[in-house]
Amino acid sequence: MAISEFNEDTQDQICDLLENLQQIEKLKNKDMRILLDKIVRQYGGKVVNK
């Protein structure tokens, strides 16, 4: 499943959660990549560091 196949509401909720965690400094960029990688691997994807 490609990330684009997530429904729009789910994508928005994930983005909002990550932004909120970043704002309160509980989530660093490296930690964010790790979390996103765990999510997308369940769907056969992989997070790449660009």
Side-chain angles (χ1 to χ4, degrees):
M1 170 187 275
I3 192 73
S4 60
E5 293 179 33
F6 276 136
N7 70 40
E8 197 170 309
D9 187 47
T10 302
Q11 290 180 47
D12 290 343
Q13 289 175 1
I14 291 170
C15 289
D16 289 344
L17 176 61
L18 293 174
E19 286 175 10
N20 289 339
L21 288 171
Q22 263 191 321
Q23 286 176 4
I24 59 172
E25 297 182 15
K26 297 289 183 185
L27 189 63
K28 304 297 181 207
N29 286 340
K30 180 181 176 183
D31 298 327
M32 186 182 305
R33 282 192 301 273
I34 291 168
L35 289 173
L36 289 173
D37 192 56
K38 286 181 181 181
I39 293 168
V40 298
R41 283 186 186 269
Q42 293 176 6
Y43 298 95
K46 181 180 177 184
V47 172
V48 291
N49 186 13
K50 290 187 176 185

